[in-house]
Amino acid sequence: RFIAKPCALGLKVQANGPQKAQPNAILEKVFTAITKHPDEKRLEGLSKQLDWDVRSIQRWFRQRRNQEKPSTLTKFCESMWRFTFYLYIFTYGVRFLKKTPWLWNTRQCWNGYPYQPLMPDLHYYYIVELSFYWSLMFSQFIDIKRKDFGIMFTHHIVTVTLITFSYVTNLTRVGTLTLCLHDAADVVLEAAKMANYCKCQKLSDLLFLTFAIVFIVSRLGIYPLWILNTTLFELYEALGNFPALWVFNVLLVILQVLHWFWSYLIIKAAYKAISKGKVAKDDRSDIESSSDEEETVPRSKTPHSTITTNGTGGANGTNGYLTGGTCSEEH
C-alpha cells in the first residue's frame, strides 16, 4: 500500500480493472442467482427475451466475470511484495549456506544426526520461510486466483508439511538447501511479472526465458541430483532405515512431480516465445478474452434495432499472470 502502489503508479501501471459490463437486470439476475456460465439452451432463451444475438450475451457474461477480477495495479503490488520477500530470503539463504560445510558436501547433512545443534541463523531462516508459506496457504483464497489453484494449494500444503516435518525431526540441514534452491527461480519469476504489468514486453520476455532456464536447471537437474540423491541414498547409507526417512522422501518426491508438471507448462510457453518472437498469452490468465472483444455493440437479432451497450471498447482483456508465459505462481 505504501511502497508498491506508489512505485506502480510511478511506472504508469494501469490502476483501472477490466471494463464493466453494461447494467442489465435480467442478465444480472441470471448471473448472480443461476449461473455464471450459461449453456446453449439458456443463451438461446435469453437471446429471444432480450432480442440480442447469442454472441453478444456471451460477451456480456464474459465481461461480467472479468469485472470481478483484480486490476493490473493490484497484481503488480502482489508481485512486488513477493519479489521483495524472495529476493531477501534467497540472499539471506545464500549468505548463511556459504558458511556451512553441507553446502559443498551433502553427506555433512547427516553427520552427527539427530544430535545436531539448531543454530540461531538456521532457526530464523526456517521460521521466516514457514511463516511465509503459511501466509500463502490462507491468502491464496483472497489473492488473485489462477487456473491451477488446486495444484498451487497442493504445493503449499506439501511445502508447509515438509518444512514443519523437517524442523520437528531435525532434518533442517538438507531443508535449508531445498529452501534456497526453490527461492532462486521465484525471484526471477516475480520480476518477469512486474515487467509484464509495466508493459516492458522485451524485458518481460527476457526475464521469463531466464526464469524458464533457472527453473528447469534447478528443479529438474539440481534438485533430483543433489537433494533427492542425498535424502534417498546418502541418508540411508549413513543412518539406515527409520520411519521419518520414508515420510520425508515421499513429500520430496511429490514436490518433484509438481516440478515436472510446471516444467512442461514452462517449456511449452518458452517454445512459443522462441517460435513467435514473444511470449504467448498465459494459459493461467485470470482474465478471460475472446477474438470478438473488439466489437462494442451487441448485435440485435432485429436488423434495425437501436439497442446499444458498452462492450470491451478495444481492451484486450488479458491481464494475465505473465502475458508471455505459463509460469507458476509460482514453484
Side-chain angles (χ1 to χ4, degrees):
R1 179 178 302 173
F2 301 109
I3 299 175
K5 187 174 181 179
C7 290
L9 295 175
L11 293 169
K12 299 181 179 179
V13 175
Q14 294 180 359
N16 58 310
Q19 187 165 350
K20 295 184 178 180
Q22 173 201 10
N24 186 294
I26 296 174
L27 296 180
E28 184 68 27
K29 184 177 180 180
V30 173
F31 183 87
T32 55
I34 302 176
T35 179
K36 296 182 179 180
H37 299 272
D39 55 22
E40 291 185 11
K41 185 177 180 181
R42 191 175 299 279
L43 287 171
E44 288 291 342
L46 291 170
S47 175
K48 295 177 181 178
Q49 185 176 359
L50 296 173
D51 199 26
W52 288 12
D53 67 1
V54 172
R55 195 175 183 187
S56 299
I57 297 174
Q58 288 176 324
R59 186 186 304 111
W60 187 95
F61 274 92
R62 182 170 57 253
Q63 288 179 334
R64 184 62 181 83
R65 291 191 296 267
N66 287 342
Q67 186 175 312
E68 300 179 347
K69 303 298 182 180
S71 66
T72 306
L73 177 64
T74 301
K75 292 185 285 186
F76 179 92
C77 292
E78 179 185 301
S79 291
M80 187 171 181
W81 146 241
R82 295 191 182 191
F83 171 79
T84 303
F85 174 81
Y86 286 130
L87 181 62
Y88 165 73
I89 203 65
F90 176 68
T91 304
Y92 180 90
V94 170
R95 292 180 62 188
F96 167 72
L97 286 172
K98 70 180 184 181
K99 299 181 292 185
T100 63
W102 61 84
L103 175 63
W104 310 111
N105 181 8
T106 52
R107 292 184 181 274
Q108 290 292 326
C109 291
W110 324 118
N111 187 25
Y113 181 84
Y115 306 105
Q116 297 172 341
L118 183 63
M119 297 178 289
D121 290 347
L122 190 153
H123 177 260
Y124 172 79
Y125 189 24
Y126 248 72
I127 293 302
V128 172
E129 287 273 20
L130 180 59
S131 63
F132 177 72
Y133 282 104
W134 265 116
S135 74
L136 292 184
M137 277 275 290
F138 294 103
S139 65
Q140 67 179 339
F141 294 101
I142 58 176
D143 283 344
I144 301 162
K145 292 187 178 180
R146 310 292 179 186
K147 293 178 182 179
D148 64 347
F149 175 85
I151 299 295
M152 287 303 299
F153 186 64
T154 302
H155 171 268
H156 294 332
I157 291 176
V158 172
T159 302
V160 168
T161 306
L162 261 173
I163 296 175
T164 305
F165 184 79
S166 62
Y167 184 86
V168 171
T169 56
N170 207 26
L171 295 166
T172 51
R173 292 187 176 183
V174 72
T176 57
L177 297 177
T178 306
L179 289 171
C180 190
L181 182 66
H182 282 71
D183 290 335
D186 294 329
V187 176
V188 188
L189 171 61
E190 298 301 333
K193 289 160 64 176
M194 288 192 296
N196 175 61
Y197 299 144
C198 293
K199 299 188 182 300
C200 300
Q201 189 62 47
K202 291 184 178 180
L203 178 61
S204 176
D205 292 347
L206 177 61
L207 288 171
F208 171 70
L209 294 177
T210 303
F211 160 74
I213 294 171
V214 173
F215 186 96
I216 292 170
V217 170
S218 61
R219 309 294 177 91
L220 299 188
I222 299 176
Y223 179 79
L225 296 177
W226 192 38
I227 303 298
L228 291 183
N229 176 66
T230 191
T231 59
L232 287 171
F233 303 109
E234 294 177 354
L235 174 57
Y236 184 81
E237 292 175 6
L239 302 173
N241 189 15
F242 61 101
L245 180 150
W246 297 106
V247 176
F248 190 54
N249 278 311
V250 166
L251 292 171
L252 290 173
V253 170
I254 292 174
L255 202 58
Q256 181 61 29
V257 172
L258 295 176
H259 294 165
W260 290 334
F261 171 75
W262 280 313
S263 295
Y264 163 74
L265 298 179
I266 291 169
I267 291 172
K268 185 170 70 171
Y271 173 77
K272 291 180 181 179
I274 295 171
S275 61
K276 296 183 180 180
K278 66 177 182 178
V279 184
K281 177 183 175 293
D282 176 22
D283 291 339
R284 295 178 60 205
S285 174
D286 56 300
I287 301 294
E288 300 175 64
S289 63
S290 174
S291 60
D292 65 346
E293 288 189 355
E294 70 277 2
E295 300 182 29
T296 60
V297 180
R299 291 171 298 175
S300 171
K301 293 170 68 179
T302 306
H304 300 292
S305 171
T306 58
I307 297 174
T308 59
T309 65
N310 293 325
T312 58
N316 60 19
T318 55
N319 294 323
Y321 179 56
L322 189 65
T323 306
T326 308
C327 311
S328 141
E329 277 286 153
E330 331 222 82
H331 299 298

